[in-house]
Amino acid sequence: MDKHHHQHLLLQHHQHLHHHQKLSLAKSSRQSCSEWIFRDVPSDITIEVNGGNFSLHKFPLVSRSGRIRRIVAEHRDSDISKVELLNLPGGAETFELAAKFCYGINFEITSLNVAQLFCVSDYLEMTEEYSKDNLASRTEEYLESIVCKNLEMCVQVLKQSENLLPLADELNIIGRCIDAIASKACAEQIASSFSRLEYSSSGRLHMSRQVKNSGDGGDWWIEDLSVLRIDLYQRVMNAMKCRGVRPESIGASLVSYAERELTKRSEHEQTIVETIVTLLPVENLVVPISFLFGLLRRAVILDTSVSCRLDLERRIGSQLDMATLDDLLIPSFRHAGDTLFDIDTVHRILVNFSQQGGDDSEDEESVFECDSPHSPSQTAMFKVAKLVDSYLAEIAPDANLDLSKFLLIAEALPPHARTLHDGLYRATDLYLKAHQGLSDSDKKKLSKLIDFQKLSQEAGAHAAQNERLPLQSIVQVLYFEQLKLRSSLCSSYSEEEPKPKQQQQQSWRINSGALSAAMSPKDNYASLRRENRELKLELARLRMRLNDLEKEHICMKRDMQRSHSRKFMSSFSKKMGKLSFFGHSSSRGSSSPSKQSFRTDSKVMERTCASTD
């Protein structure tokens, strides 16, 4: 009778407190359960969880928990009064909820506690075997019918499960939530796409261009996933890839996650960077190239795996024409005395870019198309060439930059990449300014980078007076300046006036290099100085003649407008006969140096080419 009376008291108190007690979590080991435990019935068992003590009653606990029932039964003879539950998932707060469930006190199961309750019900063996509608079945029902149908709640459950591993994984809480998230995200995108399908004027069904270009249709979940720990986030992303979520959406999520996590400066930064790189979609242009460069900088600083950095360099190289100068300026973090910027990394990126172009041009047709100025790959090549020239100009003043590394970057692109060498000349001149102790041989190596025929008029004029360049390079510049002036003079002939055969057959080509090696250094230098002076004089005379010719043309056009008589044409012929284009005029002082200079041009060029070879 005593036992029956004790049970009756417990049930009465349960019914009385059922409507009045609210959820109260244990916040410390000293907090008692007096707020919701029967005060008029003495406690007969104390449960210790993570240092927190709960003074409870055996009967409601053993009626729901198989684990506590077994412990009490094993110590029946000693009448156990205290039990310590080690490694209970969720700790004291979760146990308090489980104890309230045993006492029949209502509380709300939510996405923020269902994972803990699911795990603790497994730990305490609160299954249907011991009581109908026990905690295990209640949490299972909530997880399946409520959580897995809502993407946001699935993310919240995953977040709560981070501290419940590996049990949460073994109970398939994490697996079900990940599958639900991937399915929901894919379904959202499909629904978003279908909602924006439209018929064209011809009656065909197609997706509007606006939707194709927008990456936010059905992608509201991107921010939600950023709260997950990197290991669970990785599993969600892989599941989404398998489900067919758009690469652009995967890329946008990776950018959002990196921006959130890599600003925290946590000890897991290296793992985060390496994981994000493995998750990058294989498709190009799904993430901004500035984001790839940002990851690469972090990878260099954190000294991530070689495969991680090489993967980033390859991805950047495949879309390098989208980069800016600021992107390429990757600081060097190795040791004192090193260059200010990481030259080796940029060189590998350029090699990746060049090899990509080479792979596309293995067959004959691709080689032919690559030479076309309208080819997309050629356009990308021009952009990258300008970028590299700007990069060279930026790193050139670095006192620790070896000539070999400067040449390595300058020669990383094929010769046809540059149609104009002004940028390369500017970078070379800056290097010469900052490294005035270069030997003559090193200066020659630098000057060989530049095709002086591809300099603009302004750059050519600067190079012709640039004392930092080797003397041979200055002579070369002056020759090409003459050729450009000659070409301008020849093109100024009227269409009716045939050009002399000698001019049509004449081809001027000069290679960089010293004069004949058979000459002594002193004679060689004197000869070059003499040629230099003569060329400058001839250049000035040709410019004067060009100005005179332009004035004559203006007068002739004016006369043409006024009269179309044969007398004018006769006068025109006489005027043209008085002009001399190639230094054969009878004017005083013009014949001697110019004739001597131009007659020896071919011999000088032969000596120059022979020396270069």
Side-chain angles (χ1 to χ4, degrees), residues 121-311:
S121 68
D122 177 79
Y123 179 91
L124 294 174
E125 301 174 24
M126 299 176 69
T127 62
E128 299 297 298
E129 180 182 350
Y130 302 101
S131 176
K132 187 179 179 181
D133 291 334
N134 213 339
L135 186 59
S137 59
R138 298 285 294 273
T139 53
E140 167 70 28
E141 181 184 5
Y142 184 84
L143 189 68
E144 190 65 32
S145 61
I146 305 297
V147 173
C148 289
K149 294 185 177 356
N150 185 289
L151 190 148
E152 291 176 287
M153 296 181 74
C154 285
V155 174
Q156 290 173 340
V157 171
L158 283 181
K159 184 64 180 174
Q160 298 301 318
S161 300
E162 291 175 355
N163 298 321
L164 300 171
L165 293 172
L167 183 58
D169 222 351
E170 295 170 0
L171 297 176
N172 201 28
I173 299 173
I174 291 177
R176 281 192 284 183
C177 288
I178 288 174
D179 288 341
I181 290 172
S183 299
K184 282 289 180 183
C186 187
E188 290 280 352
Q189 288 193 345
I190 293 173
S192 176
S193 300
F194 275 119
S195 66
R196 291 181 174 122
L197 285 175
E198 59 184 25
Y199 285 95
S200 63
S201 56
S202 61
R204 292 185 176 182
L205 191 65
H206 69 97
M207 189 182 298
S208 64
R209 186 176 301 175
Q210 190 176 19
V211 176
K212 290 180 182 178
N213 294 336
S214 64
D216 57 352
D219 294 348
W220 51 267
W221 45 265
I222 288 175
E223 291 292 332
D224 295 338
L225 297 183
S226 298
V227 303
L228 296 177
R229 200 170 67 187
I230 186 62
D231 53 341
L232 296 180
Y233 177 80
Q234 181 181 21
R235 291 174 62 177
V236 172
M237 287 294 103
N238 286 328
M240 284 187 169
K241 287 182 179 181
C242 293
R243 291 279 185 173
V245 174
R246 285 193 298 262
E248 293 82 4
S249 302
I250 299 292
S253 180
L254 291 172
V255 172
S256 175
Y257 189 86
E259 289 176 348
R260 178 187 176 96
E261 291 297 316
L262 294 179
T263 55
K264 295 179 180 178
R265 301 287 182 183
S266 67
E267 59 182 13
H268 305 295
E269 276 189 274
Q270 181 176 337
T271 302
I272 292 172
V273 171
E274 291 176 347
T275 303
I276 288 176
V277 172
T278 63
L279 292 173
L280 287 169
V282 296
E283 295 83 358
N284 276 342
L285 306 177
V286 294
V287 295
I289 193 169
S290 58
F291 173 70
L292 296 178
F293 272 107
L295 286 178
L296 183 57
R297 284 190 181 89
R298 283 298 181 94
V300 172
I301 296 172
L302 299 169
D303 195 23
T304 60
S305 64
V306 175
S307 60
C308 172
R309 281 175 280 174
L310 291 179
D311 189 11

Side-chain angles (χ1 to χ4, degrees), residues 428-539:
T428 302
D429 188 40
L430 287 171
Y431 190 87
L432 288 170
K433 277 184 184 178
H435 302 79
Q436 297 183 7
L438 286 179
S439 64
D440 290 341
S441 60
D442 285 343
K443 289 182 179 180
K444 288 178 183 178
K445 289 179 183 177
L446 268 177
S447 63
K448 284 182 181 179
L449 290 173
I450 306 167
D451 185 348
F452 291 102
Q453 291 187 94
K454 294 183 178 180
L455 292 182
S456 66
Q457 184 176 357
E458 292 180 359
H462 185 278
Q465 317 228 347
N466 191 347
E467 296 180 354
R468 287 181 291 272
L469 291 176
L471 192 56
Q472 295 91 333
S473 298
I474 297 176
V475 173
Q476 191 178 351
V477 173
L478 291 170
Y479 269 118
F480 288 129
E481 283 291 302
Q482 284 188 20
L483 293 180
K484 290 177 183 178
L485 284 171
R486 287 173 180 269
S487 177
S488 298
L489 289 168
C490 292
S491 64
S492 64
Y493 272 111
S494 61
E495 294 181 0
E496 292 84 2
E497 190 78 20
K499 296 181 182 179
K501 291 183 179 179
Q502 291 181 354
Q503 289 175 238
Q504 293 176 359
Q505 296 173 356
Q506 209 165 21
S507 175
W508 297 82
R509 195 82 185 162
I510 300 174
N511 293 324
S512 61
L515 294 177
S516 175
M519 300 174 64
S520 66
K522 185 176 180 180
D523 294 339
N524 191 352
Y525 182 76
S527 175
L528 288 170
R529 293 292 298 267
R530 184 171 57 255
E531 291 287 341
N532 193 0
R533 287 194 300 270
E534 292 174 356
L535 287 170
K536 285 184 177 180
L537 289 171
E538 184 63 22
L539 194 61

Side-chain angles (χ1 to χ4, degrees), residues 536-574:
K536 285 184 177 180
L537 289 171
E538 184 63 22
L539 194 61
R541 281 193 288 272
L542 286 171
R543 283 177 175 157
M544 290 177 64
R545 292 190 195 116
L546 182 59
N547 290 335
D548 292 340
L549 184 61
E550 289 175 349
K551 291 178 182 177
E552 286 291 334
H553 278 185
I554 292 172
C555 295
M556 291 173 189
K557 289 179 180 178
R558 195 178 298 142
D559 292 341
M560 285 280 287
Q561 292 173 355
R562 295 176 181 173
S563 171
H564 300 280
S565 64
R566 292 183 180 179
K567 290 181 181 180
F568 167 76
M569 293 304 294
S570 176
S571 173
F572 173 79
S573 299
K574 289 178 183 179

